[in-house]
């Protein structure tokens, strides 16, 4: 059973209004048996410090990534994760987290790789809840394990690999990292040197739209008209374009992927999760330095 | 307690706990990180930023009469980083220069935390220890 959508007027303007909820809506539906709230943070301890009552934690390192291969969990591990989180295939999942929902958007993207139908984000991230005056709790959430089917991960529709990027040249690429990372001034994001690469710069022809341009200062998404004026106006992207977005390991670009796909209604947008930590260390691939996108090489 | 016996006791406390309890133990450490004394709280410029950590954390080392004192500052919304700092405070604070410099560079990997927080995140604690030792070396020779 799908839980009713949040009717907030702001959301109705987006291409897919059903993918966002407000703190007020969440507070109203918090005890709904068909809803599961998930917290997904950069900081692995933040959930323990205090979480939305009834929520469960899903951590990107320890739950969503395979611990050996650089890849996401497979079908069996995803099924087990859903079952211990009390999520059925038809459960409505609302995800929220720290850092403007970076990891929440990343988790949502992984849910979508497994085709989970109804996944939404809390607009305004973790702080939306406390800003609205609601309390966090330290009380452990009692989860009744659910049953979840074994589903194949779809790596084609929403995910791009490096060979897909090489074949994509000539079509739009979106780099959502900081201007310094884009120009090649630094090999890593400010403050994140452990996720560096051997070369600095960007993928040829990629346009730069730092992820934060999509959010207001309170971490809520900007209204549709403002988003449209950035991505479609200023950068000239069209909702019919095939777009690949990337960052450094794919989490900030999940956030921009979410904006393009659900808020602006781009039909065909993929996230290249290998991102700069892969591209910037690959032997022989083309790279452009400086503030200009540069020319697209011939697609392979 | 000497630095050496602190190390052993920390290792035992963490390793004897289940993976989930290790996270709770880290949370306890995080909450017990001592506040900065006003001489540093009022002068954030004196503190060194640990750039390897994803969350903003600053540290400062004092060496007086061969005794090492540590000061940390990290925001409450970064409990993991605060926990790492607090463990190092427990381990090193009050130790002698020789004791601090003798601590295993791989100490962060000996607590069984990799499973609980992931190896990538643990790099932050390694980097803090590295910077502490460097400051101790610089200040001990002055």
């Amino acid at each position: 059973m799908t839980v009713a959508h949040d009717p907030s007027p702001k959301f109705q303007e987006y291409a897919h209004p059903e993918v966002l909820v407000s703190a007020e809506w969440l507070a109203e539906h918090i005890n709904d048996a068909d809803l599961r709230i998930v917290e997904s943070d950069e900081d692995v301890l933040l959930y323990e410090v205090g979480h939305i009552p009834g929520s469960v934690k899903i951590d990107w390192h320890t739950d969503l990534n395979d611990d050996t291969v650089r890849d996401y969990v497979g079908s069996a591990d995803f099924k087990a994760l859903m079952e211990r989180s009390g999520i059925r295939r038809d459960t409505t999942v609302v995800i929220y987290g720290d850092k403007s929902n970076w990891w929440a958007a990343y988790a949502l993207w992984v849910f979508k790789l497994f085709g989970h139908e109804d996944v939404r984000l809390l607009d305004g991230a973790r702080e939306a809840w406390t800003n609205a005056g609601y309390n966090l709790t330290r009380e452990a959430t009692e989860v009744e394990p659910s049953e979840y089917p074994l589903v194949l991960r779809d790596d084609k529709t929403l995910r791009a690999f490096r060979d897909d990027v090489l074949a994509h040249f000539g079509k739009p690429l979106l780099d959502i990292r900081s201007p310094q990372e884009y120009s090649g001034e630094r090999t890593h994001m400010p403050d994140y040197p452990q996720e560096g690469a051997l070369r600095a710069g960007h993928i040829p022809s990629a346009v730069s739209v730092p992820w934060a341009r999509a959010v207001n200062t309170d971490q809520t998404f900007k209204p549709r008209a403002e988003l449209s004026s950035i991505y479609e106006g200023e950068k000239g992207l069209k909702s019919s374009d095939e777009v690949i977005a990337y960052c450094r390991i794919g989490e900030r670009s999940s956030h921009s992927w979410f904006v393009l796909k659900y808020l602006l209604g781009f039909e065909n947008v993929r996230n290249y999760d290998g991102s700069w930590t892969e591209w910037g260390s690959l032997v022989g691939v083309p790279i452009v330095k400086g503030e200009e996108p540069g020319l697209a090489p011939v697609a392979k | 307690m000497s630095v050496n016996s602190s190390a052993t006791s920390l290792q035992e406390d963490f390793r004897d706990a289940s993976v989930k309890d290790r996270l709770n133990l880290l949370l306890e450490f995080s909450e017990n990180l001592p506040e900065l004394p006003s001489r540093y709280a009022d002068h954030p410029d004196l503190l060194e930023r640990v750039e390897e950590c994803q969350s903003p954390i600053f540290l400062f080392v004092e060496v007086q009469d061969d005794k090492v004192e540590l000061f940390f500052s990290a925001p409450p919304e970064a409990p993991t980083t605060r926990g790492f700092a607090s463990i190092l405070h427990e381990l090193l604070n009050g130790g002698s220069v020789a004791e601090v410099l003798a601590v295993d560079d791989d100490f962060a990997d000996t607590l069984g935390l990799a499973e609980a927080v992931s190896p990538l995140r643990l790099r932050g604690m390694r980097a803090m220890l590295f910077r502490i030792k460097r400051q101790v070396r610089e200040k001990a020779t002055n």
Side-chain angles (χ1 to χ4, degrees), chain A:
Chain A
M1 270 294 290
T2 303
V3 179
H5 298 142
D6 184 337
S8 303
K10 173 192 166 190
F11 301 158
Q12 305 319 306
E13 294 174 7
Y14 294 129
H16 296 274
E18 69 279 9
V19 296
L20 287 175
V21 304
S22 61
E24 290 73 16
W25 182 94
L26 194 55
E28 226 171 273
H29 290 83
I30 201 161
N31 293 317
D32 199 315
D34 294 317
L35 174 81
R36 174 60 73 192
I37 308 171
V38 170
E39 175 161 344
S40 206
D41 297 315
E42 177 166 296
D43 193 301
V44 67
L45 266 182
L46 204 53
Y47 174 87
E48 278 75 11
V49 170
H51 49 264
I52 296 181
S55 64
V56 297
K57 164 170 134 177
I58 292 184
D59 182 69
W60 69 280
H61 272 296
T62 57
D63 291 318
L64 295 178
N65 279 342
D66 186 272
D67 57 10
T68 310
V69 180
R70 181 177 173 187
D71 204 348
Y72 300 99
V73 290
S75 305
D77 284 339
F78 188 74
K79 170 182 162 71
L81 172 64
M82 293 301 98
E83 292 183 344
R84 69 174 180 267
S85 306
I87 296 170
R88 302 180 315 270
R89 189 65 168 161
D90 62 354
T91 299
T92 295
V93 178
V94 171
I95 315 183
Y96 73 98
D98 61 358
K99 300 259 172 179
S100 305
N101 270 343
W102 286 358
W103 306 97
Y106 185 78
L108 180 144
W109 177 72
V110 175
F111 271 71
K112 288 297 181 186
L113 296 182
F114 286 97
H116 194 94
E117 181 72 27
D118 191 0
V119 200
R120 315 178 191 178
L121 289 184
L122 171 60
D123 191 31
R126 194 172 186 270
E127 283 174 22
W129 185 257
T130 46
N131 287 346
Y134 302 115
N135 292 327
L136 300 172
T137 181
R138 284 193 168 201
E139 202 174 310
T141 300
E142 300 274 339
V143 176
E144 193 173 326
S146 56
E147 281 192 30
Y148 199 89
L150 199 61
V151 281
L152 280 180
R153 196 180 65 212
D154 174 0
D155 283 342
K156 295 247 177 274
T157 314
L158 306 175
R159 188 179 186 191
F161 294 95
R162 59 177 187 255
D163 287 344
D164 299 323
V165 176
L166 285 166
H168 185 82
F169 283 130
K171 295 178 239 175
L173 281 158
L174 181 67
D175 185 314
I176 64 78
R177 298 172 302 156
S178 62
Q180 297 86 349
E181 291 171 277
Y182 180 84
S183 68
E185 222 174 286
R186 30 167 107 231
T187 52
H188 58 80
M189 167 185 185
D191 309 337
Y192 291 67
Q194 73 277 42
E195 288 163 23
L198 295 174
R199 290 289 186 273
H202 56 265
I203 301 177
S205 77
V207 294
S208 166
V209 184
W211 71 273
R213 292 194 62 192
V215 294
N216 297 307
T217 47
D218 67 356
Q219 306 184 33
T220 55
F221 288 107
K222 286 181 179 165
R224 181 167 186 171
E226 283 182 47
L227 294 175
S228 177
S229 75
I230 297 169
Y231 297 94
E232 294 169 301
E234 183 186 319
K235 298 298 169 187
L237 299 175
K238 293 191 290 295
S239 61
S240 56
D241 282 341
E242 286 177 44
V243 182
I244 294 179
Y246 71 94
C247 59
R248 132 195 90 100
I249 56 169
E251 94 292 14
R252 287 173 292 168
S253 49
S254 304
H255 188 274
S256 298
W257 166 86
F258 180 86
V259 169
L260 291 181
K261 176 146 185 87
Y262 295 108
L263 306 188
L264 290 174
F266 280 52
E267 302 266 312
N268 207 328
V269 45
R270 287 178 288 170
N271 184 23
Y272 168 39
D273 56 281
S275 275
W276 197 256
T277 50
E278 176 175 76
W279 195 271
S281 295
L282 269 178
V283 175
V285 295
I287 286 172
V288 170
K289 278 183 176 294
E291 287 164 17
E292 294 301 321
L295 294 175
V298 177
K300 283 183 187 164

Side-chain angles (χ1 to χ4, degrees), chain B residues 18-140:
Chain B
S18 67
V19 171
K20 196 169 182 325
D21 285 341
R22 284 174 208 169
L23 216 51
N24 288 327
L25 197 53
L26 185 62
L27 182 61
E28 277 177 41
F29 272 98
S30 159
E31 287 168 343
N32 292 327
L33 179 68
E35 294 270 329
L36 273 186
S38 59
R39 65 181 187 279
Y40 292 124
D42 300 341
H43 288 281
D45 48 301
L46 291 173
L47 278 71
E48 172 177 349
R49 167 113 200 221
V50 182
E51 296 217 344
E52 293 85 350
C53 283
Q54 300 197 345
S55 309
I57 171 143
F58 298 85
L59 64 87
F60 193 82
V61 174
E62 282 184 5
V63 179
Q64 228 162 17
D65 301 331
D66 195 41
K67 195 170 149 231
V68 175
E69 271 205 86
L70 298 178
F71 304 92
F72 293 98
S73 165
E77 63 271 18
T80 302
T81 303
R82 288 177 63 87
F84 291 164
S86 182
I87 289 172
L88 291 175
H89 189 271
E90 167 97 3
L91 173 71
L92 305 171
N93 200 57
S96 72
V97 168
E99 280 180 322
V100 170
L101 294 180
V103 168
D104 184 359
D105 286 335
D106 295 329
F107 175 77
D109 298 325
T110 65
L111 301 171
L113 274 171
E115 286 164 83
V117 307
S118 89
L120 189 71
R121 287 178 171 127
L122 261 185
R123 288 192 204 169
M125 187 166 18
R126 295 181 65 98
M128 278 183 224
L129 178 59
F130 178 81
R131 282 167 187 264
I132 290 166
K133 284 185 169 188
R134 202 205 61 234
Q135 283 201 23
V136 167
R137 242 176 252 122
E138 285 168 8
K139 286 166 187 173

